[in-house]
Amino acid sequence: RPPPPGPAGTSAGLNTLAIALLRWYDANLTASFAVEANANYVAFDGANIWVSSNVGHVKKLRACDGTDLGTFTSGKGAARALAFDGANMWVVNGQDESSAVRNGSVAKLRASDGAVLGTFLAGTSPVGIAFDGANIWVTASGRTLKLRASDGATLSDIPFNGGAVAFDGSNIWVAGGSSVAKIRASDSAVLGTFPV
C-alpha cells in the first residue's frame, strides 16, 4: 500500500512502489549483435556496452543501436570481469597460459578510444573487479587487492580468497567459497566475514 499523501515536496507523498520513466530514447529493442566466441562479461560506461571474451579481447558496442565501435586487446589471457571508473574501463585478464609466470593482470583501457593506459599484476587467477570511486578492487586466488585507479599501484593485499565483488558506497563485499567478507573501503579493514 502506498504511503499516505504528505505535504508537497516531502517523501511521505511518494509511492515507493512506483517506477518512473525518466527519459526514453529510440533503440533497437529486437536485435542481437555479434561478438567474439566465448563472450564472458559485460559492462556499461554511460553510453556504450563493453563485452569481454576468452581470447583477450574487449568489444565496444554503442548501446542505443549496437554499432561496433571497436575491438581492443586487453592482455594475453582471457578477458573477464569489467569495471568502469568514470573515464576508463578496467578488464580482468586471466593467466597467460603460454607464460611460465602464472600471474593474471588487470588492464586499464581509456573508454573513449580503447587505448591501453596500463597493465597491472593482480595475483593468480584474478576473477572479480569493482570500483569504489577512487580505487579498483580485484579478487584473485587467496587474495583481494586494492589498486589505486590513477596509476594501478597496489594499496592493500588482503588474504581473502574472493570471486564476485561489489561496492555499497562505504564497504567492499567479496564473495568467497561459503562466506562473504565486508571490507571498509577507506582503510581496507576487514569488518567481518559472514557465512552464506
Side-chain angles (χ1 to χ4, degrees), residues 21-45:
L21 178 64
L22 301 178
R23 182 175 67 87
W24 186 255
Y25 61 93
D26 292 328
N28 185 334
L29 302 175
T30 60
S32 60
F33 306 101
V35 294
E36 292 183 330
N38 299 312
N40 286 322
Y41 297 87
V42 297
F44 182 57
D45 71 7

Side-chain angles (χ1 to χ4, degrees), residues 7 13 18 32-33 39-40 56 78 89 95 97 115 122 139-140 153 180 184 187 190:
S32 60
F33 306 101
N40 286 322
M89 189 61 66
Q95 295 174 176
E97 298 300 328
T139 58
V180 61
R184 190 165 47 223
D187 62 2
V190 177

